[in-house]
Amino acid sequence: MLLGRFGNTSGRPYLEGRLILSRLGLAADISFIVDTGADKTVLMPLDGTRLGIDYAKLTTRFLSTGIGGVSADYLEPAILAFSETHTAIHLYQIEVIVSSPSPDIMDIPSLLGRDILDRWRMTYDKPNAALAFEVLGADHTIRI
């Protein structure tokens, strides 16, 4: 079982994962907002800047449509890893959307989308502060 949390001030649902961008030689732990409305996982500029992404090295353009309209972003091959305490590490090979830096979105957290969430069963119980995910499938699972 993967265990998420609700933000202390925002109350938003979060799950921590390890994002690996092999082509760029970058990896970091990311606190993703669980977003059932997002088709794909999105790395927002707040985390992209923290990772040290050189946006000039991104090559595959992608038009994203969201609440704010259409934005010109990038697709980047990635591995997402999620850890079940003392049990397993689940790995997912995806194309993450890397959102282009813009002053309007610099404080928005990265989004965990349905490209991952569709492979899990979620328990969302905010009154009891319980956010949990049963992994139904992964590209690779390492038992520990």
Side-chain angles (χ1 to χ4, degrees), residues 31-141:
S31 189
F32 290 98
I33 283 185
V34 177
D35 188 346
T36 60
D39 295 335
K40 297 175 85 50
T41 296
V42 181
L43 183 69
M44 296 300 287
L46 175 71
D47 291 314
T49 301
R50 186 173 57 83
L51 260 87
I53 288 181
D54 180 351
Y55 288 86
K57 290 185 177 178
L58 302 176
T59 57
T60 306
R61 298 292 282 172
F62 182 78
L63 292 179
S64 298
T65 304
I67 291 173
V70 177
S71 66
D73 298 319
Y74 299 91
L75 283 178
E76 184 66 29
I79 296 172
L80 265 176
F82 297 94
S83 179
E84 287 188 63
T85 306
H86 307 299
T87 305
I89 298 171
H90 303 283
L91 303 170
Y92 300 86
Q93 294 176 289
I94 64 167
E95 283 191 313
V96 67
I97 296 173
V98 179
S99 190
S100 301
S102 165
D104 297 337
I105 60 171
M106 290 306 290
D107 60 344
I108 298 174
S110 294
L111 310 175
L112 186 64
R114 289 191 319 274
D115 52 345
I116 301 294
L117 296 173
D118 284 351
R119 300 176 77 181
W120 299 346
R121 180 175 297 124
M122 178 171 58
T123 299
Y124 185 104
D125 182 2
K126 191 165 183 189
N128 292 305
L131 180 63
F133 304 87
E134 179 185 351
V135 175
L136 303 177
D139 292 321
H140 304 284
T141 295

Side-chain angles (χ1 to χ4, degrees), residues 5-14 33 109 124 126:
R5 64 180 173 80
F6 292 97
N8 293 338
T9 56
S10 69
R12 294 175 179 153
Y14 288 93
I33 283 185
Y124 185 104
K126 191 165 183 189

